[in-house]
């Protein structure tokens, strides 16, 4: 009798931790914003804002890195599961959404509002599309869509670093900040454009498959 194969739970645990990290990072980042939380923000010194921002930044970087690690381990250990396939994109969206809302709460990077909004609109639209066509057509994740997530995380990490308290707290030259913020905005727009393009691909593919039913 062949023994039952039990998938290694570590990849799914990492995915679950990434989901939790997205929520925690948002609460810390938004809470440290100038008007993030009533009463609390009035008592935060610049040093306090740096400590909050640094903690959120570290959580984001570590959580974002697990997006590659959990998938690599699942494939290497032959531990891919249906639950992991469901949880992975949810964890990614929670982390991305938390980073966007946390950064926008600061209000110091207004140029990021439009590309961030476009990213959020696309993510919600594709999620709604997948739910609508579930059981009718399959929309597998494309390679470009995987790179899209990587671009989003790189851009949002740069955007967090571009916040003035975080930039100054790390002792980086203040005269370089405008150039770095421009770099972060350009990277964010590239991520937004790729995000919209992959969204159009999904809708186009869904329309094509639905017309064949």
């Amino acid at each position: 009798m062949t023994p039952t194969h039990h998938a290694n739970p570590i990849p799914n645990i990492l995915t679950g931790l990434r989901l939790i990290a997205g929520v925690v990072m948002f609460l810390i980042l938004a809470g440290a914003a100038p008007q993030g939380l009533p009463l609390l923000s009035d008592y935060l010194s610049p040093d306090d804002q740096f400590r909050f921002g640094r903690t959120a930044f570290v959580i984001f970087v570590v959580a974002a890195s697990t997006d590659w690690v959990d998938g690599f381990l699942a494939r290497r250990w032959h531990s891919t599961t249906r639950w992991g396939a469901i949880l992975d994109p949810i964890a990614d969206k929670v982390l991305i959404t938390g980073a966007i809302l946390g950064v926008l709460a600061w209000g110091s990077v207004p140029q990021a509002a439009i590309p961030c909004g476009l990213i959020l609109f696309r993510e919600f639209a594709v999620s709604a599309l997948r739910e609508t066509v579930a059981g009718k057509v399959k929309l597998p994740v494309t390679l470009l869509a995987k790179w899209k997530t990587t671009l989003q995380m790189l851009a949002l990490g740069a955007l967090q670093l571009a916040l003035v308290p975080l930039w100054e707290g790390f002792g980086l030259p203040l005269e370089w900040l405008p150039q770095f913020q421009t770099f972060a905005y350009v990277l964010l727009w590239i991520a937004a454009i790729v995000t919209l393009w992959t969204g159009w691909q999904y809708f186009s593919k869904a329309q094509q498959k639905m017309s064949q039913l």
Side-chain angles (χ1 to χ4, degrees), residues 45-204:
S45 66
D47 288 340
D48 294 329
Q49 287 185 323
F50 164 66
R51 283 190 288 269
F52 272 72
R54 178 183 58 188
T55 301
F57 179 72
V58 170
I59 290 174
F60 178 81
V61 171
V62 173
S65 67
T66 66
D67 183 41
W68 178 84
V69 174
D70 58 6
F72 172 78
L73 293 179
R75 291 187 297 270
R76 184 178 181 86
W77 294 340
H78 304 288
S79 299
T80 55
T81 64
R82 187 176 183 85
W83 176 244
I86 293 173
L87 192 61
D88 185 71
I90 295 176
D92 288 344
K93 286 176 173 54
V94 168
L95 183 63
I96 294 297
T97 303
I100 288 175
L101 296 179
V103 168
L104 293 181
W106 285 74
S108 58
V109 282
Q111 296 89 337
I114 293 178
C116 283
L118 292 175
I119 290 174
L120 290 179
F121 290 147
R122 180 272 186 196
E123 296 296 351
F124 285 118
V126 171
S127 295
L129 174 66
R130 288 186 177 279
E131 183 177 351
T132 301
V133 302
K136 300 176 184 177
V137 299
K138 292 184 178 181
L139 295 174
V141 178
T142 64
L143 179 60
L144 184 59
K146 293 180 180 179
W147 279 106
K148 172 266 303 181
T149 301
T150 301
L151 274 172
Q152 288 177 349
M153 291 180 177
L154 287 174
L156 290 169
L159 205 60
Q160 288 186 45
L161 187 57
L163 296 174
V164 176
L166 199 60
W167 183 268
E168 290 184 319
F170 279 123
L172 299 171
L174 192 59
E175 61 270 18
W176 293 359
L177 180 57
Q179 290 84 352
F180 185 81
Q181 287 181 334
T182 300
F183 165 76
Y185 296 144
V186 171
L187 192 59
L188 185 64
W189 268 109
I190 294 174
I193 291 171
V194 174
T195 298
L196 292 175
W197 177 256
T198 58
W200 179 85
Q201 287 182 320
Y202 281 127
F203 275 90
S204 178

